[in-house]
Amino acid sequence: MTSRQMRNKQEAGQGQEIRQGREMPRGDAAGLPPTGWAVLGLLSFRGGRTGYELKKWADSSLRFFYWSPAISQIYAELRRLESLGFATSRRSGPEEPRATRRYTITEAGRDALAAWADGADNPGTPVLKHPLVLRVWLGHLAAPGTLRALVEQHIERTRGELAEIRDARLRAERAERAEEWAFPRVALSWSERRQLAELELAEAMLEDLDGLGEDGRGTSDVPPPEE
């Protein structure tokens, strides 16, 4: 029996377990990380997609509020999803100029994803890594004017990101199935508000930097923290 046949057999077996009401793999039991659920979530919308298409979609949606996995990570998760019976793939026919493999979510995958999305467990604490703030934290080692230039560049990038988010939200609003795209619109609206807050914070940081003297201690007479 080929590996492909074995995988199909496993998928059929898992589907049979679900039809019989038996417990299916979820979360830790399935060994599925959050990125795996994110990739499966991309497949939950209508239509089969290639790994490349999933990457493009992640770049124009997921990265605004979660992150966009590398193409190698997406394919690794797709293989994992297939092995669990949560996704299936089909190779393109000879009529297409370039062979591709399209992935679709299975009934078992949709049930598992729905159970995970509807779970009452804590989704986790957001992790903030802000390289610019780290550089500002070490500003006593930077040349005069460097930090201000970095913050101004960050403001311009944030404005560009904000424009992309608004464009993505407009595309979601024009989607055919309103009930399916309502929640992505909520996520993108949150992303828009976050970028607006980031702009406000960055502009306030410029004001704070302007208030510092040449020695980095500010214009007040308050001494730096004691060692």
Side-chain angles (χ1 to χ4, degrees):
M1 180 180 296
T2 66
S3 58
R4 178 68 177 177
Q5 290 172 327
M6 292 179 63
R7 186 161 61 245
N8 290 340
K9 183 177 180 181
Q10 290 173 349
E11 179 180 332
Q14 287 172 336
Q16 183 65 27
E17 288 181 0
I18 293 173
R19 286 190 295 271
Q20 293 175 355
R22 296 172 60 183
E23 185 178 358
M24 62 185 174
R26 281 191 55 200
D28 295 339
L32 202 59
T35 300
W37 291 119
V39 173
L40 188 61
L42 292 173
L43 290 176
S44 69
F45 293 86
R46 182 170 49 181
R49 291 177 175 85
T50 66
Y52 175 73
E53 290 171 338
L54 291 174
K55 171 60 177 170
K56 287 183 62 179
W57 196 9
D59 287 344
S60 63
S61 60
L62 283 180
R63 75 178 178 91
F64 296 131
F65 52 86
Y66 185 61
W67 78 308
S68 181
I71 187 68
S72 58
Q73 292 175 300
I74 287 178
Y75 278 113
E77 293 304 331
L78 287 171
R79 289 191 294 270
R80 192 203 306 262
L81 293 172
E82 278 202 286
S83 70
L84 292 170
F86 291 172
T88 185
S89 65
R90 178 178 62 83
R91 194 172 182 83
S92 61
E95 68 279 359
E96 296 191 21
R98 186 174 181 179
T100 58
R101 184 172 292 278
R102 305 189 73 83
Y103 295 83
T104 55
I105 192 170
T106 63
E107 182 180 351
R110 189 173 293 277
D111 289 342
L113 183 63
W116 181 81
D118 196 39
D121 55 310
N122 190 334
T125 303
V127 177
L128 174 63
K129 291 183 179 180
H130 207 307
L132 173 63
V133 179
L134 181 61
R135 295 282 287 275
V136 171
W137 183 63
L138 296 172
H140 61 288
L141 302 175
T146 298
L147 294 180
R148 183 177 181 85
L150 289 175
V151 176
E152 289 174 343
Q153 292 169 13
H154 174 67
I155 289 175
E156 289 305 310
R157 284 194 300 269
T158 303
R159 286 173 178 162
E161 190 93 343
L162 182 59
E164 292 184 36
I165 291 171
R166 287 171 170 169
D167 182 62
R169 195 186 66 180
L170 284 175
R171 290 198 302 270
E173 290 174 352
R174 295 168 183 160
E176 295 180 3
R177 298 180 64 183
E179 75 281 2
E180 188 176 73
W181 287 91
F183 294 100
R185 289 198 296 271
V186 171
L188 290 170
S189 294
W190 176 90
S191 301
E192 180 181 6
R193 290 190 289 269
R194 188 184 74 85
Q195 291 298 339
L196 288 171
E198 183 70 21
L199 280 175
E200 183 178 349
L201 290 170
E203 290 166 354
M205 180 177 281
L206 279 180
E207 295 179 4
D208 290 342
L209 291 174
D210 288 341
L212 296 178
E214 290 295 328
D215 60 357
R217 291 174 54 180
T219 56
S220 69
D221 295 329
V222 178
E226 295 182 0
E227 296 182 357

